[in-house]
Amino acid sequence: MDKNLFAVNPPMGWNSWDCYGASVTEEDLIRNADYMAEHLKPYGWEYVVCDIQWSEPTADSTAYHAFAELCMDEYGRLMPSPNRFPSAADGKGFKPIADYIHSKGLKFGIHIMRGIPRQAVAKNVPIKGTDVHARDIAHTASICAWNSDMYGLNPVAVGAQAYYDSLFELYASWGVDFVKVDDICVVYRRINQDYDYSGREEIEMIAAAIQHCGRDIVLSLSPGPAMVEQADHLRKYANMWRITNDFWDRWEDITEMFMRCRNWSPYVSNGCFPDCDMLPVGHISIRGCEHGVFERNTLLTRPEQRTMLTLWSIFRSPLMLGCELTDLDEWTLGLITNPEVLALLKDSRNAREILNVCDTIAWQAEDEQGNTYLAVFNLGNLPAKREITLDKLGLSGEYTVHDLWGDQPDAVVSSGIVCSIDTHGAVLFKLTTKS
């Protein structure tokens, strides 16, 4: 089973965090899955991902409850809390929800924290299929700085791999297609002013467990942020990995992403996708309090949202919607269902920044048919008119220029492309040789 063959293109879907934080319920998942199946699936959206704390009965927002009691089986494996996921009762886990989502032609994902629950270690539960117990495999000095649920695993301990194997055996039996693993790769301390890369062994154990489980499961890492210096290791074991801290609906978060995408662009390939994080469009933070701002529609302007989706698409980041899908307005629905823009995720290659001058950034990519894609971004605080010459793109001759966002009619050019760009906005063109 080659991870690069079953997740050839960047995954597209919906994740519950931006709307519901740790408090997502079965009702929330099913409602959004139904909408995705009816309205978004034809455009490539297919994953429904249940984010953090699904095993905690008392979760109620984006805030974490320290040392909360979690639902857990006899082998120290977390289980969905039945008060939030009624179909999980009697040990059924997420299988009924996964089966329902699969019946809609979609795929199901979950979030996990690396390691083993602290309460499993306190109870010293047995590890399935072994003679060892939780205390034998826990690395009790390896803890998360912002969540008190877990200890890391001691990678050299007998039974550590068996624990991860038992987890993914369980997830495979549920029908899980996507697992987002959190608090991995980065230790929250500084050595010589740089983040120390950690979690390498746990990433490898998790990847091995996926190989052993007999099911194709996308491995998404949430290290926040991943280190470019470890790109080869990440590419070898994961399908996608976060290159940023939590991304929210702030213009400064978008401007920072240009640098991150530029640094990571050489490492994008089939099955290997640096992840710009979720898309905070539409109605978000319904049960949340990130940055002190509660329930709201996205704070990003329409041009800023277009900039975000243009950059994510030409860069070929995974796309995960963070909004409540069922109350999408017409404009936002149009933004996320533009088939020509979304086609860049599967058709374009070799995306790179070609211009970064003052408030103007431009990216270029190509496809196998010989077409060229050009994205131009205006980071300035006033509308702008910009020209990108064909020689800047390494092109000569006559080209038909097609506006993928549909703002202007096709044109034939032989010297360059002149474009008007909104404040904080973007334009996106496809250039085809004129026959």
Side-chain angles (χ1 to χ4, degrees):
M1 180 172 59
D2 185 339
K3 74 176 183 66
N4 297 338
L5 296 180
F6 66 81
V8 175
N9 299 314
M12 298 171 58
W14 175 86
N15 178 291
S16 60
W17 173 257
D18 281 4
C19 262
Y20 300 107
S23 72
V24 65
T25 66
E26 180 168 347
E27 180 183 358
D28 298 327
L29 293 178
I30 297 303
R31 182 178 65 252
N32 282 279
D34 286 344
Y35 185 95
M36 181 182 290
E38 183 175 354
H39 300 283
L40 301 182
K41 180 185 169 187
Y43 300 93
W45 302 95
E46 61 178 344
Y47 288 93
V48 176
V49 181
C50 179
D51 211 270
I52 195 168
Q53 301 302 114
W54 39 263
S55 62
E56 182 193 334
T58 60
D60 56 7
S61 73
T62 51
Y64 299 114
H65 300 157
F67 304 105
E69 187 74 15
L70 307 177
C71 296
M72 187 179 74
D73 75 2
E74 68 270 30
Y75 299 115
R77 302 178 299 184
L78 295 178
M79 302 293 287
S81 178
N83 70 313
R84 293 168 52 199
F85 305 95
S87 69
D90 302 319
K92 295 186 182 71
F94 274 125
K95 182 170 173 49
I97 292 177
D99 286 348
Y100 180 83
I101 288 173
H102 293 156
S103 76
K104 295 286 184 173
L106 304 174
K107 296 180 180 180
F108 177 61
I110 60 173
H111 172 291
I112 66 171
M113 299 290 289
R114 68 178 174 91
I116 188 168
R118 294 190 193 187
Q119 69 186 51
V121 176
K123 296 177 180 179
N124 203 25
V125 300
I127 304 304
K128 188 174 187 289
T130 76
D131 296 325
V132 303
H133 291 73
R135 292 177 193 168
D136 300 316
I137 65 171
H139 185 347
T140 56
S142 177
I143 59 175
C144 176
W146 45 267
N147 184 287
S148 61
D149 292 346
M150 312 292 279
Y151 290 125
L153 292 190
N154 178 356
V156 300
V158 174
Q161 182 65 58
Y163 178 74
Y164 273 130
D165 288 348
S166 75
L167 282 185
F168 281 85
E169 175 188 65
L170 179 66
Y171 303 155
S173 74
W174 288 346
V176 171
D177 306 293
F178 180 108
V179 174
K180 173 183 174 182
V181 184
D182 212 333
D183 188 46
I184 199 152
C185 298
V186 173
V187 170
Y188 292 88
R189 59 187 171 89
R190 287 186 179 273
I191 297 177
N192 298 326
Q193 299 306 307
D194 290 320
Y195 281 115
D196 180 31
Y197 187 66
S198 183
R200 174 186 293 266
E201 294 87 355
E202 287 201 73
I203 291 171
E204 294 173 10
M205 287 193 290
I206 291 166
I210 292 174
Q211 290 290 322
H212 298 158
C213 80
R215 183 176 181 82
D216 292 344
I217 297 177
V218 170
L219 176 55
S220 168
L221 301 180
S222 187
M227 300 169 65
V228 175
E229 296 81 359
Q230 302 300 329
D232 290 342
H233 187 259
L234 294 164
R235 284 166 49 83
K236 182 176 180 179
Y237 293 102
N239 295 106
M240 50 188 279
W241 53 91
R242 276 255 304 274
I243 62 174
T244 177
N245 293 314
D246 280 5
F247 178 90
W248 278 97
D249 51 332
R250 303 182 300 182
W251 174 241
E252 56 265 36
D253 285 12
I254 296 179
T255 58
E256 181 183 307
M257 199 63 65
F258 282 96
M259 174 272 293
R260 296 185 183 279
C261 291
R262 180 178 67 245
N263 293 342
W264 279 100
S265 59
Y267 304 103
V268 178
S269 63
N270 290 354
C272 303
F273 302 108
D275 177 15
C276 295
D277 202 15
M278 285 174 276
L279 298 164
V281 299
H283 188 191
I284 60 174
S285 202
I286 292 174
R287 294 196 293 272
C289 54
E290 288 297 314
H291 305 298
V293 184
F294 295 83
E295 181 176 2
R296 62 190 185 274
N297 288 321
T298 182
L299 300 177
L300 298 173
T301 66
R302 287 183 174 183
E304 289 168 355
Q305 292 176 68
R306 180 182 286 191
T307 287
M308 177 175 62
L309 199 63
T310 299
L311 178 61
W312 269 233
S313 296
I314 199 167
F315 176 68
R316 299 185 73 214
S317 171
L319 300 182
M320 289 288 164
L321 298 166
C323 57
E324 170 59 44
L325 298 179
T326 61
D327 57 12
L328 282 171
D329 62 88
E330 184 176 350
W331 185 89
T332 306
L333 182 60
L335 177 78
I336 63 175
T337 57
N338 182 315
E340 294 186 299
V341 174
L342 297 176
L344 269 68
L345 272 72
K346 58 182 176 57
D347 294 338
S348 68
R349 297 293 185 271
N350 193 32
R352 70 273 186 197
E353 184 183 273
I354 61 167
L355 177 69
N356 191 330
V357 178
C358 297
D359 293 326
T360 303
I361 293 177
W363 277 66
Q364 180 178 347
E366 292 82 31
D367 64 23
E368 294 181 356
Q369 288 70 47
N371 301 305
T372 296
Y373 298 90
L374 171 66
V376 188
F377 304 91
N378 174 21
L379 276 61
N381 293 324
L382 293 171
K385 179 174 282 190
R386 297 290 183 261
E387 180 177 8
I388 306 295
T389 60
L390 291 185
D391 63 344
K392 184 67 179 177
L393 302 174
L395 304 176
S396 62
E398 287 192 330
Y399 287 82
T400 299
V401 178
H402 176 59
D403 182 351
L404 298 186
W405 284 116
D407 290 336
Q408 55 191 34
D410 290 0
V412 176
V413 301
S414 57
S415 58
I417 301 169
V418 178
C419 49
S420 298
I421 316 173
D422 290 332
T423 302
H424 297 177
V427 292
L428 180 60
F429 301 109
K430 179 178 181 179
L431 286 74
T432 304
T433 303
K434 191 174 185 300
S435 56

